[in-house]
PDB file of all heavy atoms in Angstrom:
ATOM      1  N   ASN A 297     125.516 111.095 101.435  1.00  0.00           N
ATOM      2  CA  ASN A 297     126.830 111.741 101.445  1.00  0.00           C
ATOM      3  C   ASN A 297     126.727 113.221 101.772  1.00  0.00           C
ATOM      4  O   ASN A 297     127.603 113.784 102.436  1.00  0.00           O
ATOM      5  CB  ASN A 297     127.510 111.539 100.092  1.00  0.00           C
ATOM      6  CG  ASN A 297     128.219 110.200  99.986  1.00  0.00           C
ATOM      7  OD1 ASN A 297     129.315 110.029 100.516  1.00  0.00           O
ATOM      8  ND2 ASN A 297     127.591 109.253  99.314  1.00  0.00           N
ATOM      9  N   LEU A 298     125.671 113.875 101.284  1.00  0.00           N
ATOM     10  CA  LEU A 298     125.476 115.281 101.646  1.00  0.00           C
ATOM     11  C   LEU A 298     125.273 115.425 103.150  1.00  0.00           C
ATOM     12  O   LEU A 298     125.799 116.359 103.776  1.00  0.00           O
ATOM     13  CB  LEU A 298     124.275 115.853 100.895  1.00  0.00           C
ATOM     14  CG  LEU A 298     124.479 116.133  99.400  1.00  0.00           C
ATOM     15  CD1 LEU A 298     123.165 116.543  98.749  1.00  0.00           C
ATOM     16  CD2 LEU A 298     125.530 117.223  99.187  1.00  0.00           C
ATOM     17  N   ASP A 299     124.517 114.508 103.743  1.00  0.00           N
ATOM     18  CA  ASP A 299     124.342 114.548 105.198  1.00  0.00           C
ATOM     19  C   ASP A 299     125.667 114.315 105.912  1.00  0.00           C
ATOM     20  O   ASP A 299     125.928 114.895 106.975  1.00  0.00           O
ATOM     21  CB  ASP A 299     123.318 113.497 105.629  1.00  0.00           C
ATOM     22  CG  ASP A 299     121.906 113.842 105.175  1.00  0.00           C
ATOM     23  OD1 ASP A 299     121.665 115.020 104.831  1.00  0.00           O
ATOM     24  OD2 ASP A 299     121.049 112.932 105.145  1.00  0.00           O
ATOM     25  N   THR A 300     126.501 113.440 105.327  1.00  0.00           N
ATOM     26  CA  THR A 300     127.794 113.142 105.955  1.00  0.00           C
ATOM     27  C   THR A 300     128.690 114.381 106.014  1.00  0.00           C
ATOM     28  O   THR A 300     129.482 114.545 106.940  1.00  0.00           O
ATOM     29  CB  THR A 300     128.497 112.018 105.169  1.00  0.00           C
ATOM     30  OG1 THR A 300     127.668 110.857 105.184  1.00  0.00           O
ATOM     31  CG2 THR A 300     129.838 111.667 105.783  1.00  0.00           C
ATOM     32  N   LEU A 301     128.554 115.265 105.030  1.00  0.00           N
ATOM     33  CA  LEU A 301     129.398 116.468 105.029  1.00  0.00           C
ATOM     34  C   LEU A 301     129.142 117.376 106.225  1.00  0.00           C
ATOM     35  O   LEU A 301     130.021 118.147 106.621  1.00  0.00           O
ATOM     36  CB  LEU A 301     129.162 117.264 103.742  1.00  0.00           C
ATOM     37  CG  LEU A 301     129.778 116.712 102.451  1.00  0.00           C
ATOM     38  CD1 LEU A 301     129.414 117.603 101.276  1.00  0.00           C
ATOM     39  CD2 LEU A 301     131.293 116.588 102.567  1.00  0.00           C
ATOM     40  N   GLN A 302     127.930 117.298 106.797  1.00  0.00           N
ATOM     41  CA  GLN A 302     127.579 118.159 107.952  1.00  0.00           C
ATOM     42  C   GLN A 302     127.870 119.627 107.606  1.00  0.00           C
ATOM     43  O   GLN A 302     128.630 120.322 108.278  1.00  0.00           O
ATOM     44  CB  GLN A 302     128.374 117.745 109.197  1.00  0.00           C
ATOM     45  CG  GLN A 302     128.211 116.276 109.572  1.00  0.00           C
ATOM     46  CD  GLN A 302     129.186 115.842 110.645  1.00  0.00           C
ATOM     47  OE1 GLN A 302     129.586 116.638 111.509  1.00  0.00           O
ATOM     48  NE2 GLN A 302     129.590 114.582 110.605  1.00  0.00           N
ATOM     49  N   GLU A 303     127.239 120.083 106.536  1.00  0.00           N
ATOM     50  CA  GLU A 303     127.529 121.410 106.011  1.00  0.00           C
ATOM     51  C   GLU A 303     127.204 122.529 107.000  1.00  0.00           C
ATOM     52  O   GLU A 303     126.197 122.472 107.720  1.00  0.00           O
ATOM     53  CB  GLU A 303     126.730 121.643 104.727  1.00  0.00           C
ATOM     54  CG  GLU A 303     127.200 120.854 103.536  1.00  0.00           C
ATOM     55  CD  GLU A 303     126.367 121.181 102.311  1.00  0.00           C
ATOM     56  OE1 GLU A 303     125.272 120.611 102.169  1.00  0.00           O
ATOM     57  OE2 GLU A 303     126.807 122.030 101.506  1.00  0.00           O
ATOM     58  N   GLN A 304     128.045 123.537 106.992  1.00  0.00           N
ATOM     59  CA  GLN A 304     127.818 124.793 107.698  1.00  0.00           C
ATOM     60  C   GLN A 304     128.029 125.932 106.708  1.00  0.00           C
ATOM     61  O   GLN A 304     128.863 125.821 105.800  1.00  0.00           O
ATOM     62  CB  GLN A 304     128.770 124.930 108.891  1.00  0.00           C
ATOM     63  CG  GLN A 304     128.542 123.872 109.962  1.00  0.00           C
ATOM     64  CD  GLN A 304     129.530 123.996 111.105  1.00  0.00           C
ATOM     65  OE1 GLN A 304     130.494 124.782 111.033  1.00  0.00           O
ATOM     66  NE2 GLN A 304     129.324 123.220 112.157  1.00  0.00           N
ATOM     67  N   PRO A 305     127.288 127.016 106.837  1.00  0.00           N
ATOM     68  CA  PRO A 305     127.341 128.069 105.818  1.00  0.00           C
ATOM     69  C   PRO A 305     128.667 128.810 105.784  1.00  0.00           C
ATOM     70  O   PRO A 305     129.370 128.923 106.787  1.00  0.00           O
ATOM     71  CB  PRO A 305     126.194 129.000 106.234  1.00  0.00           C
ATOM     72  CG  PRO A 305     126.009 128.763 107.694  1.00  0.00           C
ATOM     73  CD  PRO A 305     126.332 127.308 107.927  1.00  0.00           C
ATOM     74  N   VAL A 306     128.993 129.290 104.589  1.00  0.00           N
ATOM     75  CA  VAL A 306     130.144 130.148 104.355  1.00  0.00           C
ATOM     76  C   VAL A 306     129.613 131.485 103.846  1.00  0.00           C
ATOM     77  O   VAL A 306     128.752 131.509 102.953  1.00  0.00           O
ATOM     78  CB  VAL A 306     131.109 129.527 103.327  1.00  0.00           C
ATOM     79  CG1 VAL A 306     132.226 130.496 102.969  1.00  0.00           C
ATOM     80  CG2 VAL A 306     131.692 128.230 103.863  1.00  0.00           C
ATOM     81  N   PRO A 307     130.080 132.621 104.382  1.00  0.00           N
ATOM     82  CA  PRO A 307     129.565 133.926 103.944  1.00  0.00           C
ATOM     83  C   PRO A 307     129.687 134.106 102.426  1.00  0.00           C
ATOM     84  O   PRO A 307     130.684 133.720 101.810  1.00  0.00           O
ATOM     85  CB  PRO A 307     130.454 134.924 104.696  1.00  0.00           C
ATOM     86  CG  PRO A 307     130.921 134.177 105.903  1.00  0.00           C
ATOM     87  CD  PRO A 307     131.072 132.761 105.472  1.00  0.00           C
ATOM     88  N   GLN A 308     128.625 134.650 101.821  1.00  0.00           N
ATOM     89  CA  GLN A 308     128.525 134.983 100.406  1.00  0.00           C
ATOM     90  C   GLN A 308     128.352 133.758  99.499  1.00  0.00           C
ATOM     91  O   GLN A 308     128.209 133.916  98.287  1.00  0.00           O
ATOM     92  CB  GLN A 308     129.757 135.781  99.925  1.00  0.00           C
ATOM     93  CG  GLN A 308     129.858 137.175 100.522  1.00  0.00           C
ATOM     94  CD  GLN A 308     131.019 137.934  99.912  1.00  0.00           C
ATOM     95  OE1 GLN A 308     132.181 137.607 100.142  1.00  0.00           O
ATOM     96  NE2 GLN A 308     130.698 138.952  99.116  1.00  0.00           N
ATOM     97  N   LEU A 309     128.387 132.554 100.061  1.00  0.00           N
ATOM     98  CA  LEU A 309     128.283 131.342  99.231  1.00  0.00           C
ATOM     99  C   LEU A 309     127.024 130.557  99.585  1.00  0.00           C
ATOM    100  O   LEU A 309     126.602 130.512 100.738  1.00  0.00           O
ATOM    101  CB  LEU A 309     129.514 130.442  99.419  1.00  0.00           C
ATOM    102  CG  LEU A 309     130.881 131.069  99.142  1.00  0.00           C
ATOM    103  CD1 LEU A 309     131.974 130.026  99.320  1.00  0.00           C
ATOM    104  CD2 LEU A 309     130.933 131.670  97.736  1.00  0.00           C
TER     105      LEU A 309
END
Side-chain angles (χ1 to χ4, degrees):
N297 277 282
L298 286 173
D299 291 343
T300 300
L301 285 178
Q302 305 170 31
E303 289 181 278
Q304 296 178 352
V306 174
Q308 292 185 291
L309 304 182

